[in-house]
Structure formats: C-alpha cells, structure tokens
Amino acid sequence: MSLPRVVAVAPGSPAERAGLVPGDEVLALDGEVPRDVIRWQVLVDEAEVELEVRRGGLDRALVVRKAAGEPLGAEVSSSIFDAVQTCDNACEFCFIHQLPKGLRRSLYLKDDDFRLSFLYGNFTTLTRFTEADLERVVDERLSPLNVSIHATDPEVRARLLRNRRGATSLRWLRALLDAGIEVHGQVVVCPGVNDGEVLEDTLVGVLDRYPGLATLCVVPLGVSRYAPEGSLRAHTAAEAAAVVDRVEAWQDRFRRVLGRRLAFAADEYYLLADRPFPEAEAYEGFPMHEDGVGMARTFESEFTGRSPSTTGPRAGFFAWVDGAPAEGYRAPRTAPGAVRLRARRGAPVAVLTGAYGARVVQPLVASLGRDDVRVVPVANDFFGGTTAVTGLLVGADLGRALAGEPEGHRYLLPDVCLSAGRFLDGTTPEDLPRPVEVVPTDGAALRRALEV
Ligand code: SF4
C-alpha cells in the first residue's frame, strides 16, 4: 500500500490554510487510512478533518476547518493507494496481449477493479468481485459501473475469459442491478466465437436476466499484428453487417418491452459493414459515447453546430471526485504546460486522422467546399492488423505520413492519440517532422480550428 502523496495545493484552499504542502504524505484522515481517492473524498467531505501527515521523515497533525462538502483543495499522486485489483482472466481477444514489447509499463496493466470502473469508466468482468466489494459499492453508491458481459451463457463466458469464475461472476451483475446500481454492459464480439447464435442468446439473456442494464454496447474485437497465434481473426464486412442487423432487430424488441433500445452497435461496426450511422436520436443521449458508440454522430453534430455542447473525454465520475488525478490510468491528453502553436493564417490545412476517422471527417470537410483543407488518413503500421482508430495512432506512423507532406502547411492533430503529451510509442508531437497543432477531438474544436 502506498501513501497518498500531495502533489498540488490550491492557493487559498482549506488545505493551504491548514498548512498542507506538496510532498506531504498523508498517513490518515480522521484516523482512517484511505484505500483510494473515493474513500478520501468521503473523508474530506466533513467540515473538520484531522490529517496525519509525514513531511521530511517527521509525522505531524494538521486540522482542516471548512464548510461541509467544500473541496479540500489538495491533489494526490494517484487514485488507488492500495494495489489495483488486476485481472485474472486470459481473454484471447485482450488487446493488452496484442501489444508490442517495450511500451510504457502502465499500458500492460490488466486491471479488473470496480473502483477504476467507477472513477474512469474502465470495464470490469467481476471475476474478482467479492461480497465486501458489493457492500461498499452499495453503501457508497458507486454508480455507474461498466461491466464486461461478452456472453450470458456461463460456459461460453468462462471460455471467452478463460477463467472458470467467468461462468458465475455475472451473479454480481444481478446483485448490483437489484441494489439499484446503474450498470453499462459491453459485449466484445469475436467472429465465430460469440457472434451469430451466441450473440442472439446473449441478447435473450440480457432481456431475461438483466433488463435493468442501462445500456449494452456491442463492439468488435481489435486485432493487431502482434496477436498471438490462435483462432483470433477480424470480422468480414458480412459478419459486421450481421451484427448490426441483429443489434438493430433487438433494439426494436427492447423498445417494445422496455421502452428503450438498450443495445447499441459500436460505430466501428457501421464502418466495417459500410452502413450509414443511425440518426443521432437513435443513440438515446449517447450514454456510451466514450466507448465508441455514437461518436461519429456527435462529432458531426458538433461540427455542424447542431449540438449545443461538445462531448470531449468524460472519464467516468472522475470529473467530480476532488483530488483524483487519472495519472497512470487515464492521464490528460496534452502535457501540462504544452506549448500551443500559433496558427499560420492563410496556409493550407491538413487534418491528420486514422483510417476510420477519415471516413467520418472527410464528408464533413467536403461539405465546407474549401479547397484549402484536406484530410490526411494515417495508416497504423505500428499496431497493424485491423487497428484503424485515431486514438491508437503513434508518432512513428504520423512521422512517416508527415514526411511526405509539404512544409508550411497547418497540420491539425486530434488530441485523442496523446496521453500526457505522448503517443503510445513514447514519442511526442515535437518529434514529428512537421509542426502540428493539437486540437481537442470534437467536431466543434475542429470547426473552430478551420475558421482561424
Ligand atoms: S478481462 Fe480485459 S484485461 Fe483481462 S484478459 Fe480479458 S480483455 Fe484483457
């Protein structure tokens, strides 16, 4: 267990008034050693908080006095102070198993921790969930949570997770729903394994046993060039179309029985099947936007100005948890203090994006009727396979694409491929052969950047 270490104190905050300084290690809050930032938040919510801190090897006591519910104004170095619960599954489709060697260590962390689900929207299979976890989720109302379902048939699920507990762990899903916890489910579909009749059975199982699920997103597996030998393969266009048809047929059934669509096929399926995206209303408020469901439609409505607000990243409930940085799990996209390039007025503009992103952005850019703006789709050779989403673009591929592009143009780079200012291969935008302007990955931001 590591101690929460204070990394920032807001000027004028209760934490500063009490004498807390960056570098302090917090031993206890009101006599309790917090396990994570969720518990931290509960404890610092009080009007008076006693802190035991360690500074320069010496322990001291501080007392914070503030209004109940007022933020403490201190940021700590991580969100989980005891160990992150790691995953004990061995899914063949796991993208972490398909990563090349030598990337930063945090990318290889296979977490299966309901706290990260609550804080950042990570998915949990519940195979390591316990009665005590359930009690905590219910007592502290840690809602919503995201749960990987994959199949409701116990044997099929255990086979997919390669874990015998996969056969029984959905009992926790039932318990969470019974306790009124909002749960979003996910099915990663592997062709020939859990599509077709297995997917049909899963949708029947959801209606039968888990109709209280808030949503169910159906996403295709990703296959990189590093995929281990085995039965793993990408969908064909016909298989993708069959998944879309099945999900849409089930949306009608769910609407008749439950009054809502419940299940949604990921945008990637519509691209794979070469089908138009459903209308924006069909996404029922885009609850799974961050998981690639409805992203194309939101981007479009932001770009055209039909949507009043931008979506951007929504890291679970992290947004309202005081003092919980996503460091190590979901870091901010741009590095702190990153230098923004001043736009070169009048220069031709190129929008850099992945192969899928290009299919969404190209028609929007074309609708502007400007011959000074073009889209540059960047192939993902680094991961290879079916990897085509913009979020997995790396500096090596962008560098190769930019090297063949003219100097003096404006190159717009969506921030979704950055984490704390770095690409997944460890390089930074400054390593690229042409200067790029990093823009937030939403339609309104792209539109604004093109209006400069
Ligand atoms: S549960 Fe998730 S992290 Fe664990 S092996 Fe399966 S896909 Fe990978």
Side-chain angles (χ1 to χ4, degrees):
M1 169 133 174
S2 62
L3 293 172
R5 188 171 44 78
V6 176
V7 291
V9 175
S13 65
E16 189 190 56
R17 288 199 301 273
L20 203 64
V21 297
D24 282 352
E25 290 181 306
V26 179
L27 303 169
L29 290 169
D30 283 338
E32 180 178 329
V33 182
R35 293 170 52 190
D36 48 52
V37 80
I38 304 169
R39 190 65 196 149
W40 166 285
Q41 171 65 16
V42 171
L43 294 168
V44 303
D45 210 39
E46 300 296 323
E48 185 171 309
V49 191
E50 287 179 22
L51 288 104
E52 286 169 54
V53 302
R54 181 165 295 162
R55 187 182 302 163
L58 296 175
D59 295 354
R60 62 183 74 200
L62 302 175
V63 179
V64 176
R65 291 193 179 84
K66 61 183 185 59
E70 183 186 357
L72 179 65
E75 202 176 291
V76 286
S77 55
S78 78
S79 53
I80 304 292
F81 313 140
D82 59 4
V84 168
Q85 182 78 276
T86 51
C87 144
D88 64 346
N89 307 308
C91 311
E92 192 177 8
F93 58 82
C94 180
F95 203 73
I96 295 172
H97 298 160
Q98 302 182 50
L99 293 176
K101 290 189 171 57
L103 301 180
R104 51 180 187 277
R105 272 183 63 197
S106 61
L107 293 173
Y108 300 98
L109 176 72
K110 294 197 322 181
D111 67 79
D112 200 348
D113 193 318
F114 69 90
R115 299 171 297 177
L116 296 181
S117 182
F118 172 69
L119 289 167
Y120 307 120
N122 293 11
F123 278 86
T124 169
T125 63
L126 300 172
T127 51
R128 302 192 72 182
F129 203 70
T130 64
E131 199 67 50
D133 293 337
L134 177 67
E135 205 172 298
R136 182 166 182 213
V137 168
V138 175
D139 281 356
E140 297 182 15
R141 304 308 297 172
L142 305 186
S143 175
L145 296 179
N146 286 347
V147 171
S148 289
I149 294 175
H150 305 325
T152 50
D153 179 279
E155 292 314 312
V156 177
R157 188 165 189 267
R159 220 168 36 244
L160 277 159
L161 300 183
R162 291 193 183 144
N163 182 345
R164 62 189 164 74
R165 277 201 301 282
T168 52
S169 67
L170 286 184
R171 73 184 191 281
W172 297 118
L173 172 58
R174 183 64 272 145
L176 290 167
L177 294 172
D178 287 346
I181 301 298
E182 181 181 327
V183 182
H184 296 268
Q186 182 196 55
V187 170
V188 176
V189 179
C190 305
V193 182
N194 62 336
D195 59 346
E197 287 312 305
V198 177
L199 180 57
E200 183 72 14
D201 181 66
T202 298
L203 291 159
V204 171
V206 166
L207 182 58
D208 191 34
R209 277 165 275 160
Y210 315 110
L213 267 183
T215 58
L216 180 75
C217 57
V218 179
V219 305
L221 85 168
V223 184
S224 91
R225 73 160 87 221
Y226 305 97
E229 292 291 310
S231 57
L232 214 57
R233 66 169 178 85
H235 289 69
T236 63
E239 287 167 340
V243 170
V244 169
D245 288 340
R246 197 175 294 277
V247 171
E248 289 189 346
W250 269 92
Q251 288 185 328
D252 289 341
R253 269 173 231 159
F254 284 129
R255 279 180 85 189
R256 279 200 302 278
V257 181
L258 304 173
R260 59 200 173 91
R261 288 177 174 83
L262 197 148
F264 301 89
D267 289 10
E268 203 174 334
Y269 268 124
Y270 289 89
L271 291 166
L272 284 168
D274 205 13
R275 295 268 185 93
F277 296 109
E279 292 304 320
E281 307 77 65
Y283 289 102
E284 299 182 344
F286 300 100
M288 300 306 285
H289 172 269
E290 226 189 321
D291 297 289
V293 177
M295 273 185 164
R297 280 293 182 220
T298 46
F299 196 93
E300 177 191 33
S301 53
E302 289 161 354
F303 187 85
T304 55
R306 283 203 302 274
S307 166
S309 62
T310 58
T311 40
R314 287 179 292 180
F317 267 30
F318 165 68
W320 65 259
V321 178
D322 177 35
E327 194 176 290
Y329 307 110
R330 206 165 288 195
R333 290 173 177 173
T334 45
V339 179
R340 284 188 65 83
L341 280 176
R342 207 151 345 119
R344 294 165 50 95
R345 281 177 182 276
V349 186
V351 182
L352 301 162
T353 181
Y356 284 156
R359 288 171 61 188
V360 174
V361 175
Q362 181 68 61
L364 298 175
V365 165
S367 73
L368 300 176
R370 283 174 54 174
D371 56 13
D372 62 331
V373 182
R374 67 191 189 284
V375 175
V376 176
V378 179
N380 196 320
D381 290 337
F382 184 81
F383 288 110
T386 62
T387 312
V389 295
T390 309
L392 292 175
L393 278 183
V394 297
D397 289 326
L398 284 159
R400 196 168 39 252
L402 280 168
E405 295 287 328
E407 287 183 29
H409 290 200
R410 287 179 63 204
Y411 294 99
L412 305 184
L413 177 73
D415 66 356
V416 68
C417 48
L418 294 168
S419 175
R422 286 194 178 274
F423 299 107
L424 284 166
D425 62 359
T427 59
T428 70
E430 290 71 36
D431 298 323
L432 297 172
R434 305 272 178 273
V436 294
E437 290 170 43
V438 177
V439 292
T441 312
D442 67 72
L446 176 60
R447 184 68 184 244
R448 279 196 301 275
L450 293 178
E451 283 165 357
V452 169

